Amino acid sequence: MQKTIGVLTSGGDAPGMNAAVRAVTRAAIKKGFRVVGIRRGYNGLLNNDMVELTTRDVADIIQRGGTEIFTARCKEFREWEYVLKAKDICVRDNFAGIVVIGGDGSFRGAADLSKAGIPCVGLPGTIDNDIQCSEYTIGYDTAMNTVMELVDKLRDTSHSHERCAVVEVMGRNAGHIALNTGVACGATAILVPEIEFDIEDVIQKIKNARANGKEQFIVIVAEGVENYSEKLAKTIQEKTGVETKFARLAHIVRGGSPSLADRLLAARMGVAAVDMLMEGMENVFVCERDGKMVPADIQEAIVMDRMYKSTFTPSVKYPEEALKTYSPEKIEYMMNFCVMREKEIKELITTAEDISNYSV
């Protein structure tokens, strides 16, 4: 009986997911596998909602945003009995493995399924770029370009009315989108959860810029700075006298045709995922490091993510219990990696500060 590789998209959608499904499908078929698209994430496994994919089925999806096999979150998959139910279905259908495209929540499901005996390889598909082991994630580049385009349009109307626009962008607890687009759009100020800020510094920047003849202002805020953007817009108007509007870009940032960078990344990761399954790898995900596609342990990625986020997000607890399963050398490696990512953010913040210096 021909071996089957399943592919699913889970959690929040990201531009480039279709390109990844296409790459997995074509690479797997070339290597002699039957490919099944598991619809609506892990729900498709539990509800037997699957469809066979051929090369023709994925012929015209590389340029489409969203995901043709749909995506969803599956609360049931957090419970072991449902993981075992999914395993039984995979055994019945002769699955050689599953490629899971999604973020950290999706990877937890993949880790559990691998533990149950079904090999899984993850592809980091999230606009947030918050899978710390990988330098880039599928959808991140497109999301940033979408934000940049929208902020440029807001700048036009802000200039016409001599206003300030406070723009909140997606990213969950990570500020990568806000920080990079803020620099690219010439924002007067950028607020991200990774770096402490003082509202008075933002106010002073706007005052100094106005004194130097600047007519319009852009302030980019990451959604991880919770429940703050609307309040900030009111504060800026009250303390500077500059009319200030608030804009939440929200889920529009998830949509749109994927950029060249995301299509290329999805293609390379999709082929690499199939190769890893053929080599007998499981409980790993494909990450990009120094331009190469390399495997990383899923559980390690989840722990490292919590380790990184706990440094600046009080609600994220430091994973002390999980670290007991790792050697001192591995813990040191993970900590150094987190320090490196934090250093990158601080360096970009410094760049933003230097080029938005309106001191009189």
Side-chain angles (χ1 to χ4, degrees):
M1 184 176 179
Q2 188 179 22
K3 286 283 188 178
T4 298
I5 286 182
V7 58
L8 65 83
T9 51
S10 173
D13 61 316
M17 280 186 164
N18 281 325
V21 170
R22 174 182 180 271
V24 169
T25 300
R26 294 197 165 189
I29 289 174
K30 183 179 180 181
K31 292 173 171 62
F33 292 94
R34 171 177 175 263
V35 180
V36 168
I38 302 166
R39 290 153 52 99
R40 300 176 179 87
Y42 292 110
N43 294 288
L45 267 182
L46 297 177
N47 299 316
N48 205 30
D49 184 11
M50 295 179 274
V51 59
E52 183 169 356
L53 296 177
T54 67
T55 54
R56 185 176 181 85
D57 293 324
V58 297
D60 293 307
I61 66 173
I62 193 171
Q63 78 281 11
R64 298 179 191 171
T67 165
E68 292 294 301
I69 55 175
F70 307 107
T71 185
R73 292 177 171 85
C74 182
K75 293 182 180 179
E76 291 87 353
F77 218 72
R78 298 173 185 173
E79 300 178 26
W80 188 244
E81 64 175 297
Y82 288 100
V83 175
L84 293 179
K85 178 182 177 181
K87 173 197 172 181
D88 291 340
I89 293 172
C90 290
V91 171
R92 180 201 68 189
D93 291 347
N94 203 29
F95 272 62
I98 297 177
V99 178
V100 176
I101 308 169
D104 54 357
S106 305
F107 287 174
R108 289 186 183 92
D112 287 342
L113 201 52
S114 291
K115 185 178 179 181
I118 303 301
C120 289
V121 172
L123 296 189
T126 167
I127 66 169
D128 306 331
N129 202 41
D130 61 348
I131 305 297
Q132 304 309 323
C133 288
S134 185
E135 293 176 5
Y136 291 97
T137 60
I138 298 168
Y140 176 52
D141 183 74
T142 306
M144 288 194 295
N145 278 283
T146 298
V147 171
M148 184 174 68
E149 179 183 354
L150 294 173
V151 171
D152 284 349
K153 293 179 186 298
L154 280 171
R155 181 189 297 278
D156 291 343
T157 188
S158 294
H159 175 78
S160 298
H161 294 272
E162 299 179 280
R163 287 173 177 160
C164 173
V166 174
V167 185
E168 182 182 283
V169 301
M170 297 187 81
R172 291 198 358 183
N173 291 320
H176 302 292
I177 293 177
L179 185 53
N180 284 273
T181 57
V183 172
C185 294
T188 307
I190 308 166
L191 308 184
V192 296
E194 293 91 334
I195 305 294
E196 290 187 10
F197 61 88
D198 185 343
I199 182 59
E200 293 303 323
D201 290 340
V202 176
I203 298 300
Q204 194 58 50
K205 277 186 178 182
I206 293 173
K207 287 181 176 179
N208 290 344
R210 197 178 193 191
N212 278 317
K214 191 171 177 63
E215 301 92 359
Q216 53 79 25
F217 313 91
I218 300 291
V219 177
I220 305 288
V221 184
E223 68 175 344
V225 185
E226 295 182 1
N227 302 318
Y228 192 73
S229 301
E230 289 185 80
K231 176 183 175 183
L232 176 62
K234 294 177 182 178
T235 302
I236 289 174
Q237 182 162 320
E238 290 171 358
K239 294 196 173 186
T240 66
V242 176
E243 184 182 9
T244 304
K245 299 293 183 179
F246 165 69
R248 178 178 286 120
L249 301 187
H251 288 78
I252 191 173
V253 177
R254 287 195 184 279
S257 180
S259 65
L260 182 149
D262 276 329
R263 296 184 198 192
L264 183 59
L265 182 63
R268 296 181 68 199
M269 285 187 166
V271 171
V274 174
D275 287 341
M276 289 177 189
L277 282 174
M278 290 190 67
E279 292 170 16
M281 296 186 191
E282 59 182 305
N283 197 32
V284 298
F285 79 98
V286 184
C287 63
E288 181 183 24
R289 291 181 187 165
D290 298 323
K292 298 178 181 179
M293 301 297 114
V294 299
D297 179 80
I298 288 179
Q299 195 60 44
E300 178 184 320
I302 294 171
V303 171
M304 192 184 299
D305 186 55
R306 289 183 59 201
M307 182 187 295
Y308 173 76
K309 289 176 181 175
S310 66
T311 61
F312 51 82
T313 306
S315 61
V316 179
K317 295 183 179 179
Y318 189 77
E320 293 181 3
E321 287 298 317
L323 289 178
K324 292 180 180 179
T325 61
Y326 296 100
S327 67
E329 293 77 15
K330 177 61 73 172
I331 294 173
E332 182 180 7
Y333 164 79
M334 289 192 289
M335 293 182 70
N336 287 339
F337 204 93
C338 290
V339 169
M340 180 188 71
R341 292 300 297 265
E342 189 174 8
K343 182 180 178 183
E344 290 172 354
I345 286 180
K346 289 181 178 179
E347 288 176 349
L348 197 50
I349 281 285
T350 299
T351 298
E353 293 287 339
D354 288 343
I355 61 179
S356 63
N357 184 0
Y358 296 103
S359 57
V360 177

